[in-house]
């Protein structure tokens, strides 16, 4: 079993943040999104991993290296343009060979990992298996229709009138027959070879496709609101750990992580929250559901339900915000501001709330 991890794409829904950082390296609870997937793959016993990269390839390769830090053997496959998930399988055939493989979307976080998916695949040995999850708004997802025994009977991409509430999650298991399928489908109206079309080709050609229902949390982090929701979900799994310096004037409530070298004074930290390595927090209120990266300078601030990346400075009030690396926020508008700020940017807040 091998794994093919998709880390291309342009992350247009996260701009301006993704002008300078790949969407797969945006941090959730102070860890890049992509790292959660790689750790899940290692935990499932897979070690040979191919990573599809695009415009941000050098940044992805710098972050992952040869995979040794994760206990993996990682190689890279370049996709010159975002031509679809099925196209990724096409260009990875030399790496994949005749092996069964896990296809994992690198901007997804699947709490509880992919072990149960692979266990279900080994037990049943279908020609393909899709991970599904129940959703309240299936018209916003690719949807699987599933019959008795978990057999997939049909797929629909963002249907106006969904016949199922089972959305496709960002993990699939394929046998080598998928290589014939991806070459048999034509590009969609988006000029992309869609993996849903390839799976539909398997169904129409008589191959067996099954669904594995994932009962835990999962999220595609491609939009700001989804990334912040995922940050909340991961923070909900954290346990209290105070390794940095906290003075006697502070109030620490609930599951708070203060990492080594961090200094917190005159502040209230309400968990779940994470304060990164060597970050300084003074006279501030942080949390709940807030991740502050390494080497940040937070003073006279109130930050809630936000992600602040490494090296940033905040003076003022933020809520529901995503702040890039080495960014600066200052000022006051009389209420918490909601910002999406790219790397090395500055925001000066001024004016009173209406």
């Amino acid at each position: 079993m091998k794994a093919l991890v998709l880390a291309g794409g342009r992350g247009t829904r996260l701009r301006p943040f993704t002008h300078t950082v790949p969407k797969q390296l945006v941090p959730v609870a102070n860890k890049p999104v992509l790292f959660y997937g790689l750790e899940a793959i290692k935990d499932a016993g897979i070690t040979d991993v191919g990573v599809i990269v695009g415009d941000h390839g050098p940044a992805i390769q710098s972050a992952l290296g040869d995979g040794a830090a994760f206990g993996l053997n990682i190689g890279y496959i370049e996709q010159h343009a975002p031509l679809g998930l099925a196209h990724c399988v096409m260009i990875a055939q030399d790496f994949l060979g005749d092996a069964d493989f896990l296809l994992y979307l690198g901007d997804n976080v699947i709490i509880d990992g992919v072990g149960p998916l692979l266990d279900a695949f080994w037990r049943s040995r279908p020609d393909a298996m899709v991970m599904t999850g129940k959703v309240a708004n299936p018209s916003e997802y690719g949807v699987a229709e599933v019959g008795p025994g978990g057999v997939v009977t049909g797929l629909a991409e963002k249907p106006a009138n969904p016949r199922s509430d089972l959305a496709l999650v960002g993990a699939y298991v394929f046998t080598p027959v998928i290589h014939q399928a991806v070459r048999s489908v034509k590009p969609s109206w988006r000029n992309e070879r869609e993996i849903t079309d390839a799976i539909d080709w398997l169904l129409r050609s008589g191959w067996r496709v099954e669904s594995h229902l994932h009962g835990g949390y999962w999220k595609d982090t491609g939009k700001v609101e989804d990334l912040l929701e995922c940050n909340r979900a991961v923070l909900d799994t954290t346990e209290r750990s105070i390794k940095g310096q906290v003075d006697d004037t502070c109030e620490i409530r609930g599951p708070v992580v203060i990492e080594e070298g961090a200094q917190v004074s005159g502040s209230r930290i309400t968990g779940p929250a994470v304060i990164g390595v060597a970050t300084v927090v003074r006279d501030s209120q942080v949390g709940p559901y807030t991740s502050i990266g390494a080497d940040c300078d937070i003073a006279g601030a109130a930050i809630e339900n936000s992600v602040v990346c490494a090296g940033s400075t905040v003076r003022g009030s933020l809520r529901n915000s995503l702040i890039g690396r080495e960014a600066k926020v200052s000022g006051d508008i009389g209420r918490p501001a909601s910002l999406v700020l790219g790397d090395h940017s500055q925001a000066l807040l001024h004016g009173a709330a209406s």
Side-chain angles (χ1 to χ4, degrees):
M1 177 72 72
K2 295 182 178 181
L4 184 64
V5 176
L6 308 190
R10 292 173 176 149
T12 54
R13 294 176 297 172
L14 281 174
R15 288 180 178 170
F17 198 88
T18 47
H19 282 306
T20 54
V21 62
K23 61 180 179 178
Q24 298 85 3
L25 295 184
V26 176
V28 164
N30 282 7
K31 183 192 298 183
V33 166
L34 182 56
F35 287 20
Y36 291 96
L38 294 175
E39 291 170 356
I41 288 166
K42 174 62 168 59
D43 289 345
I46 301 173
T47 56
D48 289 331
V49 179
V51 178
I52 301 289
V53 295
D55 293 346
H56 288 295
I60 297 286
Q61 293 186 50
S62 177
L64 305 186
D66 63 3
F70 302 91
L72 302 172
N73 302 312
I74 292 180
Y76 299 92
I77 302 154
E78 184 176 358
Q79 187 185 39
H80 68 274
L83 297 176
L85 306 190
H87 180 262
C88 292
V89 176
M90 287 178 62
I91 64 176
Q93 186 168 7
D94 287 347
F95 163 73
L96 295 168
D98 293 328
D100 299 332
F101 68 96
L102 170 74
L103 179 67
Y104 191 99
L105 276 56
D107 58 356
N108 277 232
V109 172
I110 303 172
I111 292 180
D112 300 328
V114 295
L117 169 69
L118 293 173
D119 289 344
F121 173 80
W122 292 124
R123 284 194 304 269
S124 184
R125 294 295 295 165
D127 300 296
M129 181 168 278
V130 299
M131 180 182 280
T132 57
K134 290 189 176 183
V135 295
N137 50 342
S139 61
E140 297 181 10
Y141 296 88
V143 173
E145 298 174 30
V146 180
V151 175
V152 176
T153 59
L155 298 172
E157 186 65 31
K158 298 182 179 179
N161 298 296
R163 299 173 64 180
S164 164
D165 63 352
L166 296 178
L168 295 174
V169 182
Y172 311 75
V173 187
F174 293 114
T175 61
V177 69
I178 192 64
H179 297 299
Q180 183 180 355
V182 297
R183 283 175 165 75
S184 299
V185 299
K186 296 180 179 179
S188 67
W189 64 271
R190 300 190 299 177
N191 195 35
E192 296 186 8
R193 291 181 186 265
E194 311 284 0
I195 199 66
T196 49
D197 290 344
I199 297 170
D200 187 63
W201 184 93
L202 292 178
L203 293 173
R204 290 184 287 103
S205 300
W207 300 96
R208 184 178 178 87
V209 180
E210 294 184 3
S211 164
H212 170 72
L213 179 61
H214 177 67
Y217 180 86
W218 60 275
K219 183 59 65 175
D220 171 353
T221 61
K223 296 187 291 187
V224 172
E225 57 268 31
D226 292 333
L227 188 140
L228 292 176
E229 179 193 318
C230 186
N231 188 64
R232 294 194 296 271
V234 174
L235 285 175
D236 269 333
T237 69
T238 60
E239 297 181 356
R240 186 181 177 103
S241 174
I242 310 296
K243 296 181 179 178
Q245 298 180 16
V246 179
D247 76 6
D248 293 339
T249 66
C250 291
E251 182 180 0
I252 309 297
R253 300 177 175 177
V256 171
V257 175
I258 299 178
E259 298 183 351
E260 292 184 3
Q263 300 178 41
V264 183
S265 61
S267 298
R268 182 174 71 217
I269 314 297
T270 303
V274 178
I275 308 297
V277 172
T279 280
V280 176
V281 180
R282 304 185 307 276
D283 304 321
S284 296
Q285 299 178 36
V286 174
Y289 295 111
T290 297
S291 301
I292 309 292
D295 298 304
C296 290
D297 181 4
I298 312 296
I303 308 174
E304 178 182 350
N305 192 40
S306 296
V307 172
V308 179
C309 294
S312 290
T313 300
V314 179
R315 309 280 189 268
S317 296
L318 296 176
R319 181 184 295 157
N320 306 331
S321 293
L322 175 59
I323 307 300
R325 296 171 297 183
E326 298 184 25
K328 295 183 178 181
V329 179
S330 60
D332 184 12
I333 58 172
R335 55 179 171 78
S338 296
L339 301 177
V340 178
L341 201 59
D343 291 353
H344 312 290
S345 298
Q346 296 188 40
L348 176 60
L349 309 177
H350 60 86
S354 58

